[in-house]
Amino acid sequence: MSDTARLKPALMGAAAMILLATPGAAQTPAALSGLQGGVWELRDLGRSGRTPRHICVRNPERLLQIRHAGRACPRRILSQDRDSVTARYECSGSGWGQTTVSVETPRLARIDTQGIHNGSPFHNVYEARRTGDCP
């Protein structure tokens, strides 16, 4: 058996260990882990008088991608601590976004999101409040 053949299993195992040990690789950011699922009301703080949006949040990471909802966009965490997380995501063909979610309680958060959606820039700041259970 050649040296390469003997090293291959060890190298593959080492690569798997590195991927599994990467912080946040497949984990919900700590700040979002305490948020309750359910219907969340998003009140746009920059546009008073506008009717709030309601979204069903089954996974709190949904709050990181408000504008490009429903798309599987690669995301990376830029910063996080106990109470907030900032992530950037790229959606092939429809734009990108960068969002900071600041958690106040398990039922209240502030979302600051900006980026490009279908060629147009956006910037919204929302008060997000859990209002009930998803249907």
Side-chain angles (χ1 to χ4, degrees):
M1 183 180 260
S2 72
D3 288 340
T4 305
R6 275 183 277 208
L7 287 175
K8 189 174 182 179
L11 291 173
M12 289 176 63
M17 295 283 288
I18 290 169
L19 288 174
L20 291 173
T22 302
Q27 300 173 351
T28 298
L32 302 181
S33 65
L35 290 177
Q36 296 178 3
V39 174
W40 282 71
E41 177 183 88
L42 303 180
R43 184 174 304 278
D44 192 334
L45 298 178
R47 297 188 173 112
S48 61
R50 196 165 198 198
T51 303
R53 292 175 52 190
H54 292 86
I55 61 172
C56 177
V57 175
R58 297 190 193 288
N59 178 339
E61 289 184 59
R62 162 74 169 89
L63 298 175
L64 290 171
Q65 194 172 314
I66 300 292
R67 186 58 68 110
H68 298 89
R71 300 220 20 169
C73 305
R75 173 177 41 222
R76 71 180 185 274
I77 302 300
L78 301 178
S79 67
Q80 65 177 320
D81 60 31
R82 190 180 59 131
D83 300 319
S84 70
V85 59
T86 299
R88 182 178 172 94
Y89 60 88
E90 308 244 354
C91 301
S92 180
S94 67
W96 60 272
Q98 183 168 315
T99 303
T100 298
V101 177
S102 301
V103 177
E104 296 187 29
T105 73
R107 301 169 60 95
L108 180 65
R110 180 183 173 98
I111 301 169
D112 188 333
T113 186
Q114 61 184 313
I116 302 292
H117 183 254
N118 293 331
S120 297
F122 68 88
H123 183 203
N124 300 94
V125 178
Y126 298 104
E127 176 187 77
R129 184 178 303 273
R130 186 185 185 279
T131 59
D133 295 327
C134 292

